[in-house]
Amino acid sequence: MFRLFAIVLIFGLTLTSVQAQSDSSSFLVRVFGGDDTSAPSTPTLSGTAIATTQIDLTWTTATDNFAVSGYVLFRNGTAIATTTQITYSDVGLIASTSYSYYVQAFDPALNYSSSSNVVIVTTLDNPPTPTTSNSNSGGTATRVLLNNLSIEPSEHSALFSINTVRPARFEVRWGRTGSYELGYTVNDVYVSSYKTTLNDLEPGTIYQYEVIGYTPFRAPTVLERGQFSTVSLTDAFPPTNVSTFVAERNSSDVKLSWVVPTEADIASVRIVRSHLHFPSHSQDGVVVYQGLGNTATDENILEQYSPVYYTAFVVDNMGNVSSGAVARVYAVSDNAGDTPVLNPPIPSGTNDDGQEETVASTSSSVPVGTRMPSLEEIFLQQRETRQSLGEQGVVLDSEVPFLLSIPKNAISDNLKTIIVSLTDPTDSRLTYSFMLRINKDQTAYEAVLPPTRLEGKSRLIIDIYDYESLIVANYQKTIEFKKSESVVETPIFPDKIVKSVVDYGWMLAIPLLFFMIIFLIYNRRRSSLEDNL
């Protein structure tokens, strides 16, 4: 009975399906499998000369019974590009030269359409040499006209979107100063709309930029100069620099060593090298090392350059970068040997009267009117304590990093390189140096120096350099490092315990005697009651 019911049910469903299909007047049947032998339709091609070196091609969209996979473009009978787009810019051509083009479409089965119409396009002629009479005419044919420029900065990048009236090539230059020292980007194609992204920027930092447009005749026009700021991070404080950063000559190699800060959010240490000057930021030179190790070797570098300059930057997880610890090495040892020092021999920390010695000197070559900081304008801050170099008896905690800062308005803009050095409190022959950098707010030059972990007197030296790498000012100050008393626990020795008992034992005897009297009275009363019973 069950089998009969199942057969009847299946038969009924079949009739319903057939009836439903019979109500439709058309069917779409797609067969997957077998050979696809149908070629796409033939596109129609057109071309335009944009510049002396560029021709833009465009063509109509082809159709196919299944799908069009792409197009192959031919120049003078040779395939030059395969693309899924319907436009192409052919660049690197010769001025005043004719080129022939055609295009073919193809599908996934590699069926090719017939060749499109052939177009012959001639690149533009080289412009005539400008004369005095027309060089200042201001005609739009000889310069690029900017329609719109927008900049969208983020924490570590900035997107430039440029639109012009006519096709042009674009160059974008950027840097921390008006010299645009960080780099530039150039496109190869003449377009009216162009986008480019500047990467590896630092959060919360002001950058200067310049946008240049080139006409099809290669005439440059400065479209805009200005500045933009990257987005600040929630954590905007730079990390502590590495400590004991040393660069030592080993034949033609340079051996580098350092100690990574103990902060939990340290992402990497990046060491950059230059043979011209101390690298002032993490992209300013050749990257020698990046990671969380504590040693590196720069092989055979002293065969090429001498001296070589190194800066070690610390980068945290939020992208903040330290001011940089610096060191330099010569191919031939000087009189002082290979000891990692940057400065001349340091004088004693006291004068003949035994008083603390503070030195501030300025070069006679400094132009009149150049602003230099006074000792009272150079600050040391550790936790909530802020001291200036003009104060007597500067004492710092040897276990805590400290911030050294100089207000920006205390120093002229043309004096940009500031190096602070600190002698080892236990060995004045050893000196470790750090670079001051402008802070996020553009208000002060700062460096976070690592804790010395050693107690004793040290010499703090600040050298200010001009653009010719000459020292134009020097400051020296004796400071003392001590271990914080708040972290020192006073031990209690057995002899102190005995003395305390002897000195204060009578104070404990009074309450003890009182309780003994109460106990005796209680026992006596209890005994009396028991006798009465």
Side-chain angles (χ1 to χ4, degrees):
M1 184 66 181
F2 176 80
R3 293 179 60 187
L4 178 62
F5 175 79
I7 294 172
V8 172
L9 178 62
I10 293 173
F11 182 75
L13 292 175
T14 304
L15 289 177
T16 303
S17 177
V18 171
Q19 180 64 33
Q21 292 180 10
S22 64
D23 290 341
S24 177
S25 59
S26 62
F27 298 90
L28 176 62
V29 179
R30 176 167 290 176
V31 178
F32 294 93
D35 294 332
D36 177 11
T37 58
S38 300
S41 63
T42 304
T44 301
L45 178 67
S46 61
T48 305
I50 299 298
T52 57
T53 58
Q54 177 180 327
I55 293 174
D56 283 359
L57 290 308
T58 183
W59 51 89
T60 58
T61 302
T63 58
D64 187 68
N65 63 323
F66 182 63
V68 175
S69 293
Y71 305 88
V72 180
L73 180 66
F74 295 82
R75 182 216 301 146
N76 295 341
T78 302
I80 61 171
T82 300
T83 178
T84 59
Q85 306 299 314
I86 58 171
T87 61
Y88 184 80
S89 294
D90 191 14
V91 298
L93 307 177
I94 301 173
S96 305
T97 303
S98 297
Y99 297 88
S100 64
Y101 299 91
Y102 66 87
V103 66
Q104 287 181 307
F106 63 92
D107 62 17
L110 297 183
N111 297 308
Y112 285 82
S113 70
S114 58
S115 299
S116 71
N117 57 305
V118 177
V119 296
I120 299 176
V121 185
T122 303
T123 52
L124 301 181
D125 297 333
N126 283 317
T129 303
T131 61
T132 304
S133 59
N134 61 20
S135 60
N136 297 321
S137 62
T140 59
T142 59
R143 61 191 180 94
V144 181
L145 296 179
L146 181 65
N147 242 351
N148 181 61
L149 170 64
S150 65
I151 304 174
E152 300 177 27
S154 61
E155 295 171 349
H156 299 285
S157 63
L159 173 64
F160 278 64
S161 299
I162 308 169
N163 294 96
T164 52
V165 175
R166 294 183 177 85
R169 288 176 56 245
F170 302 99
E171 177 180 356
V172 180
R173 307 168 63 199
W174 73 96
R176 294 177 181 271
T177 67
S179 59
Y180 313 113
E181 73 284 356
L182 291 184
Y184 66 93
T185 178
V186 181
N187 70 317
D188 296 326
V189 180
Y190 289 89
V191 291
S192 299
S193 180
Y194 174 65
K195 292 185 177 182
T196 186
T197 301
L198 312 184
N199 293 307
D200 297 325
L201 305 181
E202 294 186 16
T205 304
I206 297 176
Y207 291 92
Q208 308 288 330
Y209 71 88
E210 180 181 64
V211 178
I212 301 174
Y214 293 87
T215 70
F217 300 107
R218 299 188 295 276
T221 301
V222 176
L223 300 180
E224 188 167 305
R225 294 188 180 100
Q227 65 181 28
F228 66 90
S229 297
T230 49
V231 177
S232 298
L233 299 172
T234 304
D235 174 13
F237 294 99
T240 305
N241 283 296
V242 300
S243 57
T244 60
F245 181 48
V246 175
E248 295 181 295
R249 178 174 58 88
N250 182 21
S251 185
S252 61
D253 300 340
V254 173
K255 296 180 64 177
L256 303 162
S257 63
W258 60 91
V259 176
V260 182
T262 57
E263 284 93 332
D265 63 341
I266 300 302
S268 66
V269 174
R270 182 183 178 101
I271 298 180
V272 185
R273 177 241 301 156
S274 172
H275 65 278
L276 302 174
H277 50 72
F278 291 116
S280 60
H281 53 83
S282 56
Q283 290 88 37
D284 185 19
V286 178
V287 177
V288 175
Y289 173 85
Q290 183 158 345
L292 287 172
N294 53 22
T295 60
T297 300
D298 195 6
E299 297 181 352
N300 301 321
I301 186 61
L302 295 178
E303 293 181 355
Q304 306 175 49
Y305 306 110
S306 178
V308 285
Y309 301 84
Y310 297 91
T311 305
F313 297 97
V314 178
V315 184
D316 66 18
N317 292 330
M318 298 298 291
N320 298 304
V321 182
S322 70
S323 64
V326 297
R328 70 182 173 201
V329 180
Y330 292 86
V332 178
S333 174
D334 56 14
N335 294 333
D338 292 328
T339 303
V341 299
L342 288 174
N343 299 279
I346 299 165
S348 171
T350 58
N351 57 24
D352 295 337
D353 298 329
Q355 300 295 319
E356 177 184 319
E357 184 180 10
T358 302
V359 179
S361 60
T362 303
S363 171
S364 58
S365 62
V366 176
V368 176
T370 300
R371 297 190 308 278
M372 289 290 185
S374 64
L375 290 170
E376 288 71 20
E377 293 176 307
I378 302 176
F379 299 99
L380 302 174
Q381 182 163 348
Q382 195 173 59
R383 295 194 179 100
E384 292 78 22
T385 304
R386 182 179 173 93
Q387 308 174 75
S388 76
L389 292 194
E391 299 179 25
Q392 294 293 324
V394 175
V395 180
L396 297 175
D397 189 343
S398 62
E399 300 296 320
V400 179
F402 64 95
L403 174 71
L404 189 148
S405 65
I406 301 175
K408 182 182 179 182
N409 58 11
I411 186 170
S412 294
D413 291 340
N414 63 317
L415 303 173
K416 290 295 184 182
T417 304
I418 308 172
I419 303 292
V420 55
S421 302
L422 196 66
T423 61
D424 190 306
T426 61
D427 187 352
S428 61
R429 294 172 300 174
L430 299 178
T431 304
Y432 304 103
S433 300
F434 307 86
M435 181 176 296
L436 273 71
R437 298 174 64 197
I438 193 72
N439 61 12
K440 303 291 185 182
D441 299 330
Q442 302 284 306
T443 57
Y445 297 96
E446 297 179 343
V448 180
L449 276 64
T452 62
R453 309 289 184 191
L454 299 169
E455 296 185 79
K457 289 190 175 181
S458 178
R459 198 69 171 165
L460 182 73
I461 309 132
I462 299 175
D463 291 321
I464 300 178
Y465 294 77
D466 63 8
Y467 278 123
E468 296 179 355
S469 298
L470 300 175
I471 296 177
V472 295
N474 174 267
Y475 304 82
Q476 298 190 29
K477 174 77 173 183
T478 300
I479 59 177
E480 186 173 2
F481 289 95
K482 292 184 178 181
K483 192 172 184 179
S484 174
E485 294 181 358
S486 62
V487 298
V488 178
E489 297 181 359
T490 304
I492 300 177
F493 297 99
D495 59 337
K496 291 188 177 182
I497 297 176
V498 173
K499 185 176 184 302
S500 298
V501 172
V502 172
D503 292 344
Y504 303 102
W506 63 271
M507 298 179 65
L508 298 174
I510 293 175
L512 181 62
L513 180 61
F514 175 80
F515 282 112
M516 288 180 66
I517 293 172
I518 296 296
F519 180 76
L520 291 174
I521 294 172
Y522 173 78
N523 276 343
R524 189 169 182 177
R525 292 190 63 184
R526 183 177 179 182
S527 299
S528 176
L529 289 173
E530 289 177 353
D531 291 338
N532 293 331
L533 293 174

